[in-house]
Every structure is written in C-alpha cells, then in structure tokens.
Amino acid sequence: MQRFSNITGQARHGLEKMTPAGLMSRPNPMDLPIAQPIKRPMNGTPISPLTPADTMVNLSFNVPFSSNLNGPDVDEILHASPKALERWTFPEGTEEGMPIHKLPVHHYNVEQLRRSCRVLNEGSQGRLEATVTSSEPKPIPALQRRPLKGLVTNVCISGDNETVHKMRAKILNDTPIALRCAIVDIDTNLVITQDMTGVRAEVLKHLDEVAKWTGTDIFLLNPTHSDPEGPASSYGNGSDQRFDQRLRIAIYGDPESSEHAKTRVLIMIDRVLHRTVDLMKLELSLHTIICGRTRKNIRLIEAATNTAIYFPPPFPRIYGYTPQGAYRRGEDEVWITGENQECINHAKKKLHELVLNTKCYVKDVMVSAHKIDSIILDRLDKVRKVMETNGSYVLFPQLGSQRGLIRVQGTEILHVERTVREIMALAGQFYSASWWLMLHDSAQSMRAPSPADIRVMLSDICTNSGSDVCFEKLTFNINGSDDSVKAAMMVIHEIPFVKRAQYQIRVKIELANEHKEFVSGKKNGKINKIMGQSNVQIIFDGFNEYNFYIDVCGAQYDATKNGLDLVEQEMPASISFHVPDQYHKRIIGIGGQHIQRIMKKYSVFVKFSNAMDRGGIGKEDDDIKVDNVICRTPARNAQSLDLVKQEIMDMVEKVDAEFVSETVVINRLYHRELIARMHKIDELEKKWNCKIDFPSTEMASDVVTISGPEYQVPQAVDEFLGMVPESHEIVVPASSQLRGFFKSTEFQIEVRQTLKTQYEVILSIGNDSKPVEDKEASEARLLLEYTRNNAGGLKDAIDFLVSRLIPYGLDATTVKGAIPRPKSDSFEDSLPFFDSKLLQNAPAPLGTDSPTRSTFADDASERGSLFGKIRKPGSISSISSFLDRRKNHSGSPGSLFKHASSNASRASLVSMESRDSGYRNPWNDSGVNLPEEEGHNGWPLRFENKSEQKLPFSAGPGDMTPRHDRHASLDSGRPSTSHSTNGYPAPIGPPR
C-alpha cells in the first residue's frame, strides 16, 4: 500500500514554489477584507483616503427559491393533504398562462422573506439594512449564456462585515430554499379497498399524518399516461403502460423534509405488504462507509436476509430550515423492513459486524467558504454520488457559516484521496473576482453612488448574473460559477461611475496542482505569451496540497477579459475511458512508438494506468472497469480528443471495446426478488463482463443500470430480463364450442405447445362465471405468461392464438386485450384515391380493446385515465365504476409492445447494433454521473466498413474536462471557454 504522504505530495513548479506543510491551515485570502490591494497607483497620483461611509459592507445574493417548480395537475389529484391544494394550485377563475412563480406557495415564501427582513431592520436599530427585490432576469446580449429561469429573489444587506454575513446565514437557514417534488409509485391494488369502491381510508389518513409530521405537502395522483407516439428508450424499456397504471404519491417540500416523508411513505407500503418494520441506531458518518462502494455491502445483506434497509439523508440539517410544527428524522436512525423479526435481527447482526470490522481514515482539507456554500446549493447531489461511488463520507459545515474546512473519511486511503480530489474538482468550477475602484484627487468632484443606489445596483448585478456580489471600500468582490462571474463583471463594466474611475481587476481560478506545468508551459512560455498579448499580469498562488490559484490581473476590462479567455484556452481538456490492461502494451508499442505517433499527430498527451497504479491487483472488483486511460490537451485543441480515443480503441478487440451503460425499467418491488438471486446475477456479470447496479432503497426507482462492453451489454440485458416474469391477459367471449376446444387434446398440443416452443409463452385459462351484459356467452380469461426478454414476440403469439380460435366461433373484433397493429408509415393512407384492384388499401384496424392506443377503440377516449372523470381531490365516490370497467379490460403492459422491434428478445439481437447506447456525460470532470446526466449516443462507426467510415459525430463515453459550453455553467468539469467556436459537447468536423 502506498504511503499517505506519497499520494498527497505537492506538485512543484518553477514559476513559484508552493508553501510546504502548514499551507492547509492558511485562511483563504478571498475571505479576508482587503484594505489596500494596489501598492502603486497606475499614474502615480495619490489616492484619496477612505471616508467612514466606505467602511460599510453591502452584500447581495440570490435566495434559491424553486420558483419554477410547478404543482400537480388539478385533474389528476385524488387526494391532497390539508391545505396542500390551496398552496400548490391556482384558485378557480385564474387566467390561463399564469406564471408558475405566482403560485400561492411561491408568493407566500417571498412575502415571508420580506417580513423577516423588515423584522431584522427594526431589530438592528439602524445598524443593518436588508432589502428584498424579485424580478425576472434579462439575457445579457454580449454573453451567450443561458439566462436564469423563473423569478429571481435577491436580498441586499448593508452593515458591518460580521453582522452582514451572520444575517445572510440566518436568511438562508430560515427560508424554505431548494423546494423539490419527490414521486413514489404505488400499485393500485395496495391502496384500493377490497370492494373496489375507493381508496382505503387508513392509507389516506397515514398520508395526512406523514405530511403533518414532516412538514410537507402530499398528493395522491392518477396514473401517468405516456405519449403513444413518443420514442421508446433503449431495448424497449421505455413507457411501460403497466407501470403507468400505478398511482403516484407526490411529495412537495424542502430537500430534507421531502426525503423524510418519502422514506415514511415507502415504509407505509412495506406495512401494507405485511412486512415487519424495526429501527436501529447507527452513527451517521458510518452509513456510507459500511455500505461500501456502490452500496455493495448493503446489497449483500439485503440479499442474505430478505430485508430492505433505509438510511437517512447523508447531510442532515445542512440547510438549517425546519418547517413550522414539523419534526426531523433522527440522523442516526436506520429503518429495516423484512418478512419477519428474525430476518431483521439477522440484518442488524450483519450491520453490527460491518461496524466492528470498519477502520476509518480521516482527512481535513481547506476550501473557500464561498465555494463550500456554492457546492451545498448547486452540487450537493454530485457530492452524494461521489460518496456512494467511493464508499466515503464528507462532512460539510452548515450553509453560510463562513467556515472553510471539510472533513473526509473512508476505509481506504485511496478512496479518501479520490473523494478529496473530486471535491476539489467541484470547487474549481467556481470563480472569484475582485474589482477595485480608485478615486484620485482629480476625480473628487465625481458623485459617488448613495447607499440606496448601491443596493439597487448590486441587486441588478446578482439578478442578471446569478453570482454573489459584495461592495466594500470601493471594491466589488464577486463569487459564483465561471459564467456567472463573467456576467457580473460585464454588468459592472457598464455602470457609469465605474467607467469614469480607474480600476483594477483580479480574477481567481482554482486548478489542480498536477496541471500547473501544463498551463504555464515550458519555462512559463504560455503564460508569458498571454501576458504579452493581453497586457495582463498572471500570478500562480498556492492554496493547498491539491489546488492552486491562477490570478489574472489587469487595469482594463477588455484586456482582463481577453487574458482570462486565453488562460481558459490553455486549461486542460481531458477524456478518460477504459481499456483492458492486456491491450496496453499493444497500444503503447515497442519503445512507445505507437502512442508517441498518436500523441504527435493530434497534439494530445495520453497516459495509461494499470491495476498496480490503482491500488494493487485484486484490491476490488470494481477497479476492473475504472477508467484507466486519460487523454489531455489544451482546451483550444479539445476537438482532437475524440479522434485520439477512436484511434486507440481501434486497436482493441470488439468484445472488449467501449464500456457503455444501459438502463432497464423493472418494478422496484421486484428488485428484492432479483437481489435475493444475487448468486445468479454474479454469474451473469462474470459471463458477460458486465456490472448490474440496482438503485438504492431510498430512491424508490425502477431503473436498473447495466454497464459493460458495448457488444456484450445487449446479451447481458437479454439474459437479465429473462429473470423478470411478465404476464398479459386477454378476455374472449366463451361459447360452448370454444370451451369444448379448450378441453381438447388438439388445443393442448397444437396451441399450448406451439406457444411455449415457438413464442416462449405459457398459456393458462381461467373462467369468468359472471354473465356479460347484452351477451349470452360468459367470458374466458386467457393468461399469457412470459419473461421480459421475450416480450417482443407477444403480439405474434396473440395473433397466432386468435387465429386458432376463430374457426371455433370466436369473433376477432370482440377480443379484449389484443395488441393492435402499429400504425404504418407507408403510403397506404393514399390508396383510397387510386381506383385499382391491384392496390388494396389496408384493412381497418380491429375494434379491439387496446391498452396502448386510444384510436383503436370507440370508447378509448373515455377510458383515458383510471379516474378520468374525477375532478375534485378526495372525491372518490365514483371510483368503483372505473374499477369495474377496468376489470373488463387488460391490465397488461401494453405500450411495452407498441415498439416491439426495440425489445431485447433473442430474435432481435441480430439488429441490436443499430440501437442506442448510453454514455456518460463526456464533459464531466468528476468521473461520477447523476441519473439526470446519463445520455444516449449512437454506436461508434469504427467497426463498420472502413471504406464507408466517417468521423464520429457523437461524444464518446468516459470523462472529459472541461465541458466547454459557452451557453451555460451547470456542472462543467472546467470553466467554459468563450473562444470555443462550437461549444461542447457538439458535433465536430474534420481537423483543419
């Protein structure tokens, strides 16, 4: 094992030596008040002394209300917790097109903030002034960036430095910021009464109690209905209408309250399923550690004990806000549900053993307090994913506390280091800048802005840029994301009194120490060239053992902006991907001749790492598929990264090339059955060299991710879906002739055996003794059972079955649950205009009771929703009529088959190469992707005919930095580049 000091050794650089030990405890210079930053005036004239009024601090920041969070559709609401309907819906008579930020809940939050600021003003006896403004941001024409959405609420506080920052922390921690909506799907049969007359009263009562206890608003909603013409996701696992039949529980609240309520709703569902619930206490900082990397340890415990373990949120009370009358979940409370108490005790014992066998390494690192707040507000989900990936824990200070220390702990030094570097990479996505104004004796007659003008000015800057701005001693201090800081500087440059005064600007960029020489060049050649071209001064300032600062200083805005753009162009853009270790020698070549030729050809640096570099052979199975090749080049040459990657992957065998990820949708409750067969899943992973990841229990997600080589993932998906049973029911009028055929030997041999051998479908028959209205014959229910991987052939199986029943008196138009023929995209609709016996127009579709298309049945539009005619929340008196009608129709996963060709059946695997493949965000610097970052790109062309091969127009998998998107700064691995002509990710053309 490597020594800790060897892993975290500081990078050395010839331009300026980094401070050795003790640098970590140095406070961030951006957090300290700057008394006189400029040693010498620009023209030698004396600077006027500061007046007492200049000592006042004016701090402006945006309060991150979720003003664009919409409430549920009124027509879909079955039940609402007390006062939830009034808060999240517009009153009757409201005009259509009303902005979302005018919802009562958003309006109330803003007004409550105004009242709080008035109370602060009155209680400070004139020492503090806080103003609140709300407006919609305006796009900045000269800066091509995505404007902020919705209504932006800004607070500007004036007073002494310490009091101002305390008031900022108090406002952020007493305000319901970052509201969100959590969705839990629940099967209809779990909440509907036995007589099918409505929703069970105890379920509605429990939802109201959860809403009151957690301080959230809870709605019970109708099932969703996907667009029948919409695209299906990969392998046909898109809009499954069987899942659309489930009711939805929507939970609205702040992050911690909504997660608390979501967990209690999931526990309620387990209680309905007659599972035992118990609680155990466990130290918060050990939760993600004992879970292991990607929750591997917990998966094994749940598989061995048949339990579900619910951990609390990893960042309790980080916001400080608690709804009035609500209670927080204990940060050490771990809920466990199981078949019986014995299973739960077994799970507790295994958790206790994990705790006893866990050893922790702890490391404290310094990060700017402003950047910690930005990470908490904008990147907390990213940090959570990093913790889960590395099996580590990150302790943040409370929001707005102005403390710049975070603590990271894990079971391995390597995992602690990876986590710290990920956090440092996130910190590098935020900039800080200072703009000093210098009023000389000759400019004394110029009128300085009044305190009221300053507050209006700062609010306008923050609203339109999204950054935090502090004005103190004629100095603007700006903190925020890369694009927001640039936008703020552009707005400041247009202020009249700033234009008339002399000033100096400094922009601080944070970058990893390992990139120091990369940016500066040999003998500081790159930096010297930039300073000569743009008339700016560039200083490298050490910060801690991981990152350093690049200070870009200038006396003119245009020169500073140009210098900053040039520095960003020299920053490293990189892409990382996986190549099996056995191919490294082949790619590198004898004496490195192959890889040297590639690097010179594209001006890209390529580095390989083997298992020993990653911590030793056999250390963890997860390390087999980690990215072990990194390609790095200056941002101005980022378009060459994909070309280098493709040329390297051309030397890899098809079976091992291109590690990709695919997702399949499986009911989350059935995940437990699959996890219980973990030994079979392990065999499947080894067979296809793939990895299957289930979502955490707390997420309540149906999505399972399968990652591996792109040419083996389809086979792994097919075999995995073969473990998931499905069923489809059709109802036919059962005449005496038809019932006699069901009992015949011919039916058993020619129908049932054929369905089983040719279509992989098992047929069973059930009788319905109730007579059907207006019909003499009773109904027969035919149940078709199959596995998900064979779902693509279900329509053919049903057609075969119906065709064999027609000779025995079955009318095909009376079959309920048959899957209709997809609408053709050919020219058949135009055939009626041709009077020809050769051109026959397609027959009209059967009037079947289709579960997929409303156009295939006359009354389909009336059945558009399970509770379609219910318009008032809680009004469920007529629910039985809909349930009775639903009993007569199919409850099968209809829309799963309307894109039958996209299912991963064995018959369709031949054309699987034409299907989409999922890749990670190509410009993500962290190596970890959130669910909402997953993308789908086309299959690479390198395995096609070389004579027809073209340049790839799709981003490859792996991690790249930076995401050079000049239009946004959401989660870029490195700062966006203003001089990039295309923006990234985007199609790239041939090199010029």
Side-chain angles (χ1 to χ4, degrees), residues 596-651:
Q596 289 291 339
R597 177 184 58 83
I598 295 175
M599 289 193 293
K600 290 180 181 179
K601 179 179 178 181
Y602 297 103
S603 299
V604 173
F605 171 75
V606 182
K607 180 182 179 181
F608 293 83
S609 63
N610 54 31
M612 292 299 295
D613 298 332
R614 300 191 298 271
I617 299 177
K619 194 169 189 61
E620 284 219 20
D621 294 336
D622 295 337
D623 285 341
I624 297 176
K625 303 177 183 65
V626 299
D627 293 339
N628 54 10
V629 180
I630 182 169
C631 306
R632 185 176 295 126
T633 188
R636 50 185 164 79
N637 187 41
Q639 67 272 10
S640 299
L641 291 172
D642 276 338
L643 303 178
V644 173
K645 176 175 180 270
Q646 179 167 329
E647 189 157 342
I648 291 176
M649 297 306 292
D650 283 341
M651 305 182 201

Side-chain angles (χ1 to χ4, degrees), residues 953-964:
F953 282 83
S954 59
D959 303 330
M960 303 179 185
T961 59
R963 181 176 67 181
H964 296 280

Side-chain angles (χ1 to χ4, degrees), residues 486-497:
K486 294 177 187 178
M489 292 171 58
M490 184 170 294
V491 176
I492 293 174
H493 176 61
E494 299 298 328
I495 299 175
F497 92 95

Side-chain angles (χ1 to χ4, degrees), residues 39-60:
K39 299 294 184 181
R40 293 175 296 176
M42 299 301 292
N43 58 1
T45 56
I47 300 176
S48 60
L50 297 173
T51 60
D54 293 327
T55 59
M56 177 175 290
V57 176
N58 297 273
L59 176 62
S60 180

Side-chain angles (χ1 to χ4, degrees), residues 295-308 668-682 692-697 704 720 723:
R295 296 177 64 96
K296 180 177 63 176
N297 297 338
I298 297 302
R299 286 282 169 261
L300 295 176
I301 293 178
E302 291 178 335
T305 61
N306 193 19
T307 57
R668 69 172 188 87
L669 293 178
Y670 194 75
H671 291 185
R672 299 170 182 175
E673 303 292 335
L674 295 173
I675 292 174
R677 302 160 66 184
M678 188 61 69
H679 64 284
K680 187 173 181 180
I681 293 179
D682 291 340
I692 301 176
D693 292 321
F694 291 89
S696 63
T697 311
V704 179
F720 177 69
M723 302 170 61

Side-chain angles (χ1 to χ4, degrees), residues 306-359:
N306 193 19
T307 57
I309 303 176
Y310 300 92
F311 286 93
F315 308 108
R317 298 173 178 82
I318 195 171
Y319 294 109
Y321 171 76
T322 302
Q324 185 176 2
Y327 298 90
R328 288 298 190 204
R329 178 182 178 181
E331 61 182 32
D332 58 349
E333 294 179 355
V334 179
W335 292 91
I336 306 175
T337 65
E339 294 293 337
N340 48 55
Q341 189 63 41
E342 183 179 355
C343 295
I344 295 178
N345 293 337
H346 191 193
K348 286 183 177 181
K349 180 180 179 182
K350 287 185 172 293
L351 287 174
H352 185 65
E353 292 174 355
L354 281 178
V355 173
L356 294 180
N357 296 328
T358 298
K359 59 179 181 179

